[in-house]
Amino acid sequence: MSSVASWEAEYLRSKESNATSAPSFSHRGLSAPLEDDLLIPDVQLGEPLPEETPLEQLTRHWMNERHAPDILPAQDVLLGSILDHIRRQSDTIQLLRGDPSTSEEEHIRIMLAQTEVERVQFVVRSYVRTRLYKIEKYARYIIANEDVQTRITTAERDFASRHANIMDRHFYSSVLQSLPESQAGLDDTPHFIMPPMVTEPETTRAVFAHALKRTIARTPEGKTIDLPKGSLTLLSYAAVADLVAAGEVELV
């Protein structure tokens, strides 16, 4: 047995308690053709879809976050588990690369494993950046809405509060201090067709909803829309917001 295989066997034994459901990522990269998934054990996700890997779940949440006008519940447990797994697999790859007995064929497999890690890192970064973009855009709306605050992490809530305070000071020093006191507020109720002072998510915006199971969407007006499994429907986000949160529908 080569030193690489011996090291990998020892690594797998050390992770046996955390990897009972699937072989490790580096093991797949070194001993088998690369699969288009990332199997991470013991991830607590509430109600995941059957036969959905953690990477598939993260990809679904990522696409939902990108297409939804509102900020969705944070997937911090899933994200933390994937980041921990990526960190372990990156350490494994670096150790195998530094082994002088690693063959050329094994180096190719290590490169494939590294490519898979980088692909997952891209999804993670894009997911986080999408949420930060929404938090910056709706910062004042978030800090004024307790329901929205339940969907974000403590760090995101602190970031929203700091960003809103910075923008308030900027608006005051740039414009508001020169206006009459009655017009210097940022919380004024808009009249006629004037836009609101606080930017809110446009939940009436149309989205493409892909039904993962047969379900029924309900519009704010009370109309019901049948969504057969596998169907792709263009409708208001407000009609499928609850279905997206329940994992019955994904946005594309």
Side-chain angles (χ1 to χ4, degrees):
M1 178 182 295
S2 68
S3 60
V4 174
S6 177
W7 190 95
E8 177 65 11
E10 181 180 352
Y11 174 79
L12 290 175
R13 286 195 299 271
S14 68
K15 298 298 181 181
E16 185 177 1
S17 60
N18 295 325
T20 57
S21 61
S24 72
F25 175 72
S26 61
H27 179 72
R28 291 193 288 110
L30 292 172
S31 61
L34 193 64
E35 301 174 17
D36 190 23
D37 65 0
L38 178 62
L39 300 179
I40 302 175
D42 302 330
V43 180
Q44 302 297 325
L45 296 175
E47 296 182 0
L49 293 175
E51 301 180 359
E52 194 176 34
T53 67
L55 179 56
E56 290 172 339
Q57 294 172 33
L58 177 62
T59 302
R60 174 167 55 84
H61 291 303
W62 168 48
M63 295 303 295
N64 287 342
E65 196 71 67
R66 286 177 60 87
H67 293 295
D70 202 356
I71 188 166
L72 303 179
Q75 302 298 322
D76 50 328
V77 175
L78 171 62
L79 194 62
S81 298
I82 289 181
L83 288 174
D84 288 342
H85 193 82
I86 289 175
R87 190 177 301 110
R88 292 196 301 269
Q89 301 312 317
S90 296
D91 292 342
T92 301
I93 290 172
Q94 292 303 319
L95 288 173
L96 293 173
R97 277 181 170 174
D99 191 335
S101 64
T102 302
S103 66
E104 182 177 352
E105 180 181 354
E106 289 169 333
H107 270 298
I108 293 176
R109 291 177 177 174
I110 291 172
M111 290 175 58
L112 294 176
Q114 180 63 41
T115 301
E116 178 80 350
V117 169
E118 292 174 356
R119 183 173 73 92
V120 178
Q121 288 175 332
F122 168 80
V123 175
V124 170
R125 292 191 187 103
S126 181
Y127 173 75
V128 173
R129 287 172 179 169
T130 301
R131 291 185 63 83
L132 288 178
Y133 168 78
K134 290 184 178 181
I135 291 173
E136 289 181 352
K137 184 176 182 179
Y138 305 124
R140 300 197 80 256
Y141 168 76
I142 290 172
I143 63 175
N145 192 314
E146 294 184 358
D147 177 64
V148 178
Q149 292 180 27
T150 62
R151 306 181 213 156
I152 61 179
T153 65
T154 301
E156 289 174 335
R157 185 164 57 250
D158 293 341
F159 175 75
S161 179
R162 292 196 304 270
H163 187 272
N165 290 334
I166 291 173
M167 294 303 297
D168 286 353
R169 292 198 300 269
H170 170 70
F171 287 144
Y172 180 79
S173 61
S174 300
V175 178
L176 298 180
Q177 65 178 351
S178 303
L179 298 178
E181 183 177 353
S182 60
Q183 301 177 10
L186 289 173
D187 300 318
D188 295 340
T189 302
H191 299 285
F192 305 107
I193 60 174
M194 295 179 61
M197 297 293 290
V198 177
T199 304
E200 299 183 4
E202 187 182 357
T203 57
T204 57
R205 195 181 78 188
V207 295
F208 283 100
H210 175 238
L212 301 176
K213 58 180 292 187
R214 186 179 184 87
T215 186
I216 296 177
R218 291 178 173 81
T219 66
E221 296 78 20
K223 180 182 178 181
T224 60
I225 303 174
D226 183 39
L227 302 178
K229 181 179 179 180
S231 63
L232 186 63
T233 310
L234 178 65
L235 70 173
S236 168
Y237 171 74
V240 295
D242 292 339
L243 301 179
V244 171
E248 299 179 6
V249 164
E250 63 180 359
L251 304 181
V252 296

